Amino acid sequence: MAARIRTRRVDEDFSWRAVAQAASDLWGSGWGSNRLYGEDLCVAAAKALHENPYRELWD
């Protein structure tokens, strides 16, 4: 899951809203395109991958 989120955010340049929507669509969550949800997903994914979620790479 973390790798998929990283791909969307870093490699495909998805916004936090787009990450949230993609995750909601994939996992059937009700969060939709909530920006804060997308940001939280990115922070959790970065930490799981031992990366700094606040580096330019993830911003």
Side-chain angles (χ1 to χ4, degrees):
M1 287 185 203
R4 181 169 286 178
I5 291 168
R6 185 187 191 284
T7 297
R8 298 279 193 249
R9 179 69 179 162
V10 176
D11 300 333
E12 297 176 6
D13 201 31
F14 276 32
S15 67
W16 283 330
R17 287 184 187 279
V19 168
Q21 188 64 60
S24 292
D25 292 345
L26 182 63
W27 301 320
S29 84
W31 288 96
S33 63
N34 182 289
R35 186 192 66 79
L36 295 176
Y37 177 56
E39 182 179 4
D40 287 348
L41 286 173
C42 289
V43 168
K47 288 181 179 181
L49 296 168
H50 306 288
E51 296 181 355
N52 182 344
Y54 302 104
R55 281 191 47 224
E56 184 177 327
L57 178 72
W58 281 89
D59 277 341

